[in-house]
Amino acid sequence: MKRLLYMLLISLLLGCKPSTKQGEFVLLPTPKEIFIDGNSSLKPKDLPFISQIDKISMDTLDDFINSQQSPSANNNQVHVEFVPEDSMKPEGYALEIKDRSISIQVRDKVGLFYALQSLSQIIEDATDQAVYLPNITIKDFPSLAYRAIHLDVKHHLNRKAYYYQMIDKLARFKVNAIIAEVEDKLRFEKESTIASDDAMSIEEWNALSAYALSKNIEISPLIQGLGHASFILKHDKYVSLRDDPKSDWAFNPLDPKTYELQFDLYRDAFKAFPSGRYLHVGGDEVSTTGRNSGRSPLELQLEWLRKVCKFAEENNRIPIVWDDMPLRHAEVYRSMFDKKMSVQTVDSIWESNEHKLSKFLDLFPKNCIYMRWNYASPQAYGNQKAMSWFRDHGLQVMGATAAQRRWVLMPQDEGNIINIRDFAINSIDKDINGLLCTLWDDDSPHFELYWRGILAFAEYTWAGNSKSIDDFKASYRHRSYSHTLSDSSYAFIDRLEEPVKFWKGALLKRENRNYLVRMEQPADKAKAVIDFPELSEPGKWSKDNKGRIEQAQKALETNQYVEHQINKYKNNTIRSEYTLQVYEQVNKLTRFSAEVLLAMEKIDKAENEGARNQEINEFRKLLDSFQEVRNNFEAVYGQTRILEKPSNYILDQDHHVHLANQAINFDWQFYAEILFVQKMYKQLESFK
């Protein structure tokens, strides 16, 4: 950033024009066809609308078109032509910059909106590099029609302004839908008991939905149905609706009041998200008992699904359901997730069990979309087999990938980009309507760290298999930070995964961070944390923890590398400074664990009492520093995130052991560190 400002200042002082050298222009997602032939004669400042282009919405396109086509417009304006629908694909556009003119051809306003998003990226690159706009020809359209991300707010809300910024960024990269899993963060009016005190009102969600629609993004609600119902059934008022009276997980599908309640929630959700075509009803990971009715779990699942789908249809919504439970009940589920399972084995499993599905085929609602979620193995033959079964039997199907699963602190496995790409390509090849990118809030990393995965999803659902993974990562760095940082020598995100994985269990005897809160006795929690070295047996602690120490050393080396890379980014980035601050805090938190472990090794291996006491003093300083580490972490996260739940918030039974569901305040994020520091202070008392 400093270097760029310095270059621009020198340029202004010397009266220089932008460089005539060819700039580097990277569009994301990649257009279907793009050809660059040198420079035009246009500089960004020649375009009077440059300061307004990011503010253009679907609602303001008419004013924009009129302003560009008016008789007073000069040759530096944009010329828009609408062409017959049959001459261009939906959402498509043709964009040409030549000499001193810019022309756009579209079939509809959506195509024009996306043409302007691409143009804004071109202008941004020209501005950043102080070069002329290129002579460029683009022909473009999306490979998948429905490109939705999942907004999961079950465990925390962000500040309202952040959601509007999120919408702007999604639109910039041509994502056109959101499925919002609101749980108790919608202030239901018909069933007000369910809503958390910090929930956004119907009017607030409605306003966000309207803003999103102005950016060609439709928001549809996900209201969990048969299972995942703890946010409802944890309340005393609804205990009678439980399938199992002792569990807040699932509804009783045989009780008519179950549907009265769910339909009330749907009605409020429709008011909050009036522009959404869909109603996602959940339905995953649940098996109900039947209450001695003699009906199987599959029959009960389909009976529930039939009723909620009928309600959706009556309210002009297309229902979506997770497809896993019918497939699980039919015992074909495992084959969908094993990439190594042979075609013959998969076919054999289906041949033996398909009749269990076919028997109830008439009960499968035909107006429903069955969403085949597979986050780690979309390439598996069994996954494709399951999707084909739905389509072959006249049922609609859509896929769901993930940019965030059950990962702590940040997405891992390279942000799941390979699997995102593969599911997108499979969906395109099979001519499926769309794809959802799930972003689970279960262990609640910061949303800023989801963007690389989201942009990969935007790339591969729009452009297909046009870029290698490495090329995409370079494009991500270019677009998100600066053209000067696109080279792989600046990469650090994948490396940061290593200390994050180690951090989860670094200070624990077993990697059981998610289960610490469930330990009822303080003594059990203390025992879960590693012990201070036994000074009467020098070297024993280091021997017992040899592997842990080696991992800590590697993690610290990586922390130091990442810190160096982030500092380079800070000095050169043009955008996304806040994202870097979030990554920086993740790096510092994981570094604390590595440093205290290596400090304990030094204590254990000290050659004499004086050296040992000196190392103990250094160790105490590290322990003292933890509060500052936490304070800084919370200060950065708190800029966009609401860190604490309301004081009267009721935590549910936490069946899936979600870290972010284990405390009303932000303690859950640091619980292992808190226990560790407390235990170490106690064990150090004898050395004061």
Side-chain angles (χ1 to χ4, degrees), residues 50 53 120 190 217 262 317 405 525 559 602 632:
I50 175 64
I53 194 166
S120 72
K190 295 181 181 297
I217 296 172
Q262 290 186 7
R317 296 281 176 139
R405 291 154 57 186
K525 295 178 181 181
N559 289 137
K602 289 181 179 179
N632 291 338

Side-chain angles (χ1 to χ4, degrees), residues 60-70 78 80-82 106 109 112 116:
T60 60
L61 282 179
D62 284 335
D63 293 339
F64 170 77
I65 294 167
N66 292 335
S67 69
Q68 303 308 309
Q69 306 298 86
S70 64
V78 176
V80 179
E81 177 186 1
F82 286 88
V106 294
K109 289 183 181 178
L112 176 56
L116 293 175

Side-chain angles (χ1 to χ4, degrees), residues 409-410 446 449 492 496 499-500 503 559 562-563 566 570 577-593 625-639 666 669-670 673:
L409 281 183
M410 62 177 284
H446 199 293
L449 309 187
F492 71 86
L496 183 53
V500 168
W503 166 85
N559 289 137
V562 169
E563 180 182 7
I566 289 176
K570 284 182 173 181
E577 285 104 337
Y578 181 64
T579 311
L580 292 174
Q581 292 175 32
V582 177
Y583 276 119
E584 184 176 43
Q585 294 308 311
V586 170
N587 191 52
K588 288 181 176 180
L589 179 59
T590 59
R591 180 171 181 156
F592 172 79
S593 296
S625 74
F626 171 69
Q627 190 58 51
E628 182 180 2
V629 171
R630 174 174 179 169
N631 290 345
N632 291 338
F633 191 101
E634 290 183 342
V636 170
Y637 274 50
Q639 291 179 42
F666 207 42
Q669 181 68 83
F670 314 98
E673 289 75 23

Side-chain angles (χ1 to χ4, degrees), residues 77-219:
Q77 302 287 2
V78 176
H79 301 277
V80 179
E81 177 186 1
F82 286 88
V83 300
E85 287 192 0
D86 59 1
S87 67
M88 189 174 287
K89 293 193 175 184
E91 299 185 291
Y93 64 92
L95 169 66
E96 184 177 44
I97 303 174
K98 189 174 182 181
D99 194 28
R100 297 192 63 80
S101 68
I102 300 175
S103 61
I104 297 174
Q105 289 186 327
V106 294
R107 57 175 275 174
D108 53 33
K109 289 183 181 178
V110 176
L112 176 56
F113 182 77
Y114 286 144
L116 293 175
Q117 300 308 310
S118 294
L119 180 58
S120 72
Q121 292 186 22
I122 294 170
I123 293 170
E124 185 175 75
D125 278 343
T127 303
D128 291 349
Q129 299 169 68
V131 298
Y132 288 88
L133 272 63
N135 283 320
I136 191 169
T137 301
I138 296 173
K139 293 182 179 179
D140 201 13
F141 58 88
S143 297
L144 289 178
Y146 186 73
R147 307 174 301 280
I149 67 113
H150 169 229
L151 177 61
D152 179 10
V153 297
K154 72 164 71 72
H155 294 315
H156 85 278
L157 279 170
N158 289 307
R159 302 187 187 282
K160 199 188 311 180
Y162 188 72
Y163 292 119
Y164 285 85
Q165 296 165 11
M166 183 190 304
I167 295 295
D168 289 340
K169 194 166 181 177
L170 291 171
R172 181 170 174 75
F173 296 105
K174 305 183 176 74
V175 171
N176 66 359
I178 294 172
I179 290 180
E181 184 164 354
V182 291
E183 289 214 349
D184 56 6
K185 304 306 185 291
L186 168 60
R187 195 173 303 146
F188 295 103
E189 294 178 349
K190 295 181 181 297
E191 299 289 347
S192 58
T193 301
I194 294 169
S196 171
D197 279 0
D198 63 348
M200 288 170 58
S201 68
I202 289 175
E203 292 74 21
E204 288 173 312
W205 282 114
N206 188 298
L208 183 67
S209 182
Y211 183 78
L213 193 62
S214 78
K215 300 287 186 176
N216 196 46
I217 296 172
E218 66 168 83
I219 306 182

Side-chain angles (χ1 to χ4, degrees), residues 416-536:
N416 211 38
I417 294 172
I418 293 173
N419 292 314
I420 291 171
R421 177 199 63 189
D422 290 351
F423 215 150
I425 294 168
N426 288 339
S427 298
I428 294 165
D429 290 344
K430 290 185 176 296
D431 195 27
I432 290 171
N433 176 55
L435 189 66
L436 172 69
C437 183
T438 58
L439 303 164
W440 297 104
D441 191 39
D442 300 355
D443 295 311
S444 208
H446 199 293
F447 195 91
E448 280 299 295
L449 309 187
Y450 296 177
W451 279 112
R452 189 173 68 152
I454 293 172
L455 266 57
F457 174 80
E459 168 68 23
Y460 292 113
T461 54
W462 179 281
N465 194 21
S466 61
K467 264 185 168 62
S468 69
I469 299 296
D470 286 342
D471 286 345
F472 161 73
K473 290 177 181 176
S475 296
Y476 162 79
R477 291 189 291 270
H478 178 117
R479 281 266 62 88
S480 297
Y481 300 101
S482 168
H483 64 284
T484 63
L485 297 167
S486 62
D487 187 81
S488 61
S489 63
Y490 291 100
F492 71 86
I493 297 174
D494 293 340
R495 289 287 301 277
L496 183 53
E497 291 180 17
E498 300 165 19
V500 168
K501 289 176 182 176
F502 175 59
W503 166 85
K504 187 175 183 182
L507 304 179
L508 303 171
K509 293 176 182 176
R510 295 173 54 228
E511 192 177 295
N512 57 353
R513 179 179 286 263
N514 290 62
Y515 292 87
L516 290 172
V517 173
R518 288 195 168 188
M519 298 175 182
E520 295 183 0
Q521 301 300 322
D524 292 334
K525 295 178 181 181
K527 288 178 183 178
V529 177
I530 60 172
D531 295 312
F532 190 73
E534 180 55 63
L535 302 185
S536 62

Side-chain angles (χ1 to χ4, degrees), residues 16-34:
C16 296
K17 296 180 179 179
S19 169
T20 56
K21 68 182 175 71
Q22 183 69 53
E24 183 181 2
F25 295 90
V26 173
L27 272 65
L28 203 162
T30 306
K32 289 290 192 299
E33 297 179 27
I34 180 168

